Amino acid sequence: MTAALRRLLLDSYAAALHAVDPYRLTAAAIVRDGGRLELGGVPVRPHARLFVVALGKAAGRMAAAAAEALGDLMADCVVVTDTGVSVPPGCTLFVAGHPLPDASSLAAGDSILRLAGRAGAGDVVLVLLSGGGSALAESLPDSLRLDDLVTVTRVLVGSPIPIGEVNAVRRGFSRLKGGGLLAASAPARVVTLAISDVPVDSPEDIASGPTVVTGFAAREALAVLERHGLTPAVPSAVIAHLRSAEPVPTPAASGVLRVLADARTAGRAAAAQLSGAGYSVPPIGILGGVAGAAGRETGRAARRAAPGEAWVGCGETVVQVGGDGAGGRNTEAALNAAQAIDGSDGIAMLFGATDGVDGTSSSRGAIVDGGTIGRGSSAGLDPAGALARSDSGTFLAASGDLIPGGPTGTNVGDVWAWARSR
């Protein structure tokens, strides 16, 4: 019975990934028919030069679809992602660091701004944006260095603050984010097609909004750091820059942004798979908060459920790292949930990363049931100790519950789902 539930949940996860396939979504958004060209429904002069920037974990597949659709209209192209991918002829590839930026991130950011600067009046800068872009590309003011960027990023991603506030800090000292790419593209027109990893309508948080103007970013960044007591941990050069920065004028370039898919797209596809199998599924839940607490509460909800009920949530939680073990948001939530349903029959729960990379767990997440804790304990492991060491991935590997795989080439956050047998 539980084995069938696990298979059903894995099918729902596969349906979620298919729904947010970057190649298919991008190809559908670019229409070139005779003398007509539309990008995300935006009419474009059919003979305009197009400069393409693809940034994020879905960049490779988005760029491939765009190159095939645009053909000779593509004047230049930069692709920035976190894994080695095959890129179309004429595209420059940068494989950069994630979650911590590296030297390639800076090289990529500067290259993107140079490309945008080449676009003139009548040209179009097509930005293909997806989750993960915040770390993958950056361009810094002269007063800051890579070490400053890495340190502040490590502080931010190691703190349990919402992703929106993390990105607000990133925008505060960036030449690329918070509309920096939009400004660099003037006087060209900018069209952004995005696959969003944020669960609500906040386009400024997709890769920290390189084509979205967000106001006085430095002041907002300082407010976030002070509110969470993080100022002492951030390099003094970063704080000095934020305190001395002037408001950025509104860019002269015009921009349009279209979201092709987001976490809810994936969640709805997973829910449809469960409904099609005869399960009752309520409206999609939005994930947030700390992974461990959210996992425990999700496990308690599954334990209270009636036979034939299921649930799907999408979005992203945060993890307070407490050790150097193997784990991520999804394995942390999964192990907490497994404790909540320990010993229960007929319940299975899936916690999956749509990008296929769950922290340091070497998995896409985990799928647990009422026997998970027993299986891991029989292997000599302690769930409480594993959680204390941020080592949930090791426990779930021993219990046989990790979801194997690797990078999927897309990214809309996480999908969680559970079902109770009928």
Side-chain angles (χ1 to χ4, degrees):
M1 183 181 298
T2 302
L5 280 181
R6 291 169 69 98
R7 284 195 299 272
L8 175 60
L9 291 177
L10 288 170
D11 287 344
S12 73
Y13 177 59
L17 295 180
H18 176 73
V20 294
D21 177 73
Y23 187 95
R24 182 176 59 82
L25 292 166
T26 305
I30 299 176
V31 176
R32 187 181 182 187
D33 182 12
R36 182 169 67 101
L37 176 63
E38 292 185 359
L39 306 176
V42 179
V44 174
R45 287 193 313 110
H47 300 296
R49 292 192 307 166
L50 279 99
F51 293 82
V52 177
V53 173
L55 170 61
K57 293 186 177 181
R61 289 177 60 73
M62 294 183 82
E68 183 171 335
L70 296 173
D72 58 353
L73 295 180
M74 192 170 71
D76 202 354
C77 170
V78 171
V79 180
V80 188
T81 190
D82 61 337
T83 57
V85 295
S86 176
V87 297
C91 289
T92 301
L93 172 66
F94 292 89
V95 179
H98 189 281
L100 295 179
D102 58 15
S104 292
S105 302
L106 296 184
D110 291 341
S111 180
I112 287 171
L113 292 180
R114 285 195 299 271
L115 178 146
R118 291 177 48 216
D123 295 335
V124 175
V125 177
L126 173 62
V127 181
L128 306 172
L129 209 57
S130 55
S134 293
L136 292 170
E138 184 58 281
S139 183
L140 295 173
D142 292 340
S143 60
L144 300 181
R145 298 291 181 266
L146 177 59
D147 287 350
D148 300 318
L149 176 62
V150 172
T151 299
V152 71
T153 304
R154 184 177 285 113
V155 169
L156 292 171
V157 301
S159 302
I161 64 175
I163 189 61
E165 292 189 298
V166 169
N167 289 341
V169 176
R170 287 165 157 159
R171 287 191 292 268
F173 56 84
S174 176
R175 295 176 60 238
L176 180 68
K177 299 171 172 61
L181 175 54
L182 181 68
S185 301
R189 190 179 188 187
V190 178
V191 178
T192 303
L193 304 180
I195 295 176
S196 172
D197 63 336
V198 294
V200 293
D201 296 323
S202 51
E204 70 275 10
D205 284 328
I206 308 170
S208 299
T211 61
V212 179
V213 181
T214 54
F216 195 176
R219 183 168 58 194
E220 184 182 3
L222 269 176
V224 171
L225 293 172
E226 291 168 357
R227 183 162 57 249
H228 293 283
L230 297 176
T231 304
V234 171
S236 58
V238 173
I239 300 300
H241 172 80
L242 295 176
R243 287 178 174 159
S244 63
E246 298 291 332
V248 178
T250 301
S254 61
V256 176
L257 186 146
R258 297 282 187 265
V259 175
L260 306 182
D262 60 14
R264 291 166 295 190
T265 309
R268 286 192 293 267
Q273 191 77 17
L274 293 168
S275 296
Y279 283 82
S280 173
V281 187
I284 304 300
I286 300 298
L287 305 177
V290 178
R296 285 192 298 275
E297 181 51 40
T298 303
R300 294 184 192 116
R303 190 158 195 157
R304 294 192 299 265
E309 289 185 347
W311 173 87
V312 173
C314 59
E316 193 168 296
T317 58
V318 295
V319 174
Q320 178 92 48
V321 178
D324 57 359
R329 293 189 305 263
N330 291 288
T331 56
E332 179 107 350
L335 186 51
N336 276 277
Q339 291 179 306
I341 63 170
D342 185 30
S344 298
D345 290 329
I347 299 175
M349 308 184 69
L350 180 141
F351 301 80
T354 60
D355 66 358
V357 180
D358 189 48
T360 59
S361 70
S362 301
S363 75
R364 293 180 172 181
I367 181 166
V368 298
D369 56 45
T372 292
I373 299 300
R375 292 192 296 272
S377 298
S378 295
L381 299 181
D382 169 41
L387 290 170
R389 298 187 303 275
S390 299
D391 201 25
S392 53
T394 299
F395 186 97
L396 293 169
S399 65
D401 293 318
L402 292 181
I403 301 172
T408 61
T410 192
N411 183 29
V412 296
D414 301 328
V415 172
W416 296 4
W418 56 256
R420 183 153 200 163
S421 60
R422 292 173 289 166

